């Protein structure tokens, strides 16, 4: 009986020393693109900048500053819907339809409107 109590006490001591102090680990967050939220809506800035560089920077400049007769896109006061309409239909010398993917177009429009 004495051996059984000693064994139980020893097992309880070992178990108490081995666990319980460490908080449960939270699962690792999944990778999602960083988004910004403005009055123009949520957008993925990195994706919008990539689209801008591919479709817009050649005429509007690398920093949205405008080039030649092409206007700057900073501080325009345009809403996301205004930008969507311009990107879709074109305006002045700018042709419409340069951004074909609708989600990409919406993301770019929200980003430009927030500048």
């Amino acid at each position: 009986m004495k051996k059984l109590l000693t064994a139980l006490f020893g097992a309880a001591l070992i178990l108490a020393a081995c666990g319980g102090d460490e908080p449960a680990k939270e699962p690792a967050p999944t990778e999602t693109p960083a988004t910004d939220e403005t009055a123009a809506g949520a957008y993925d800035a990195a994706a919008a900048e990539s689209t801008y560089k591919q479709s817009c920077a050649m005429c509007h400049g690398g920093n949205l500053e405008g080039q030649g007769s092409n206007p700057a896109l900073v501080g325009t006061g345009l809403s996301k819907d205004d930008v969507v309409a311009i990107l879709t239909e074109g305006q002045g010398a700018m042709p419409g339809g340069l951004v074909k993917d609708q989600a990409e177009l919406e993301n770019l429009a929200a980003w430009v409107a927030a500048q």
Side-chain angles (χ1 to χ4, degrees):
M1 181 74 169
K2 202 175 196 182
K3 285 185 179 181
L4 180 60
L5 286 176
T6 304
L8 287 174
F9 180 73
L13 197 62
I14 290 172
L15 288 174
C18 291
D21 287 342
E22 203 171 295
K25 291 183 180 178
E26 293 184 27
T30 57
E31 281 291 319
T32 55
T35 58
D36 292 307
E37 183 78 36
T38 67
Y43 58 87
D44 177 347
E49 287 181 43
S50 176
T51 302
Y52 177 83
K53 286 178 183 173
Q54 292 173 4
S55 302
C56 313
M58 65 206 85
C59 296
H60 294 281
N63 295 317
L64 297 95
E65 73 275 9
Q67 292 185 23
S69 64
N70 301 307
L73 301 178
V74 178
T76 63
L78 295 172
S79 71
K80 175 185 171 186
D81 292 338
D82 294 336
V83 177
V84 167
I86 293 168
L87 289 170
T88 304
E89 300 163 12
Q91 184 176 47
M94 180 181 152
L98 295 175
V99 180
K100 306 287 186 218
D101 181 84
Q102 188 64 31
E104 200 173 336
L105 183 139
E106 296 276 337
N107 188 57
L108 175 63
W111 180 75
V112 168
Q115 301 307 306

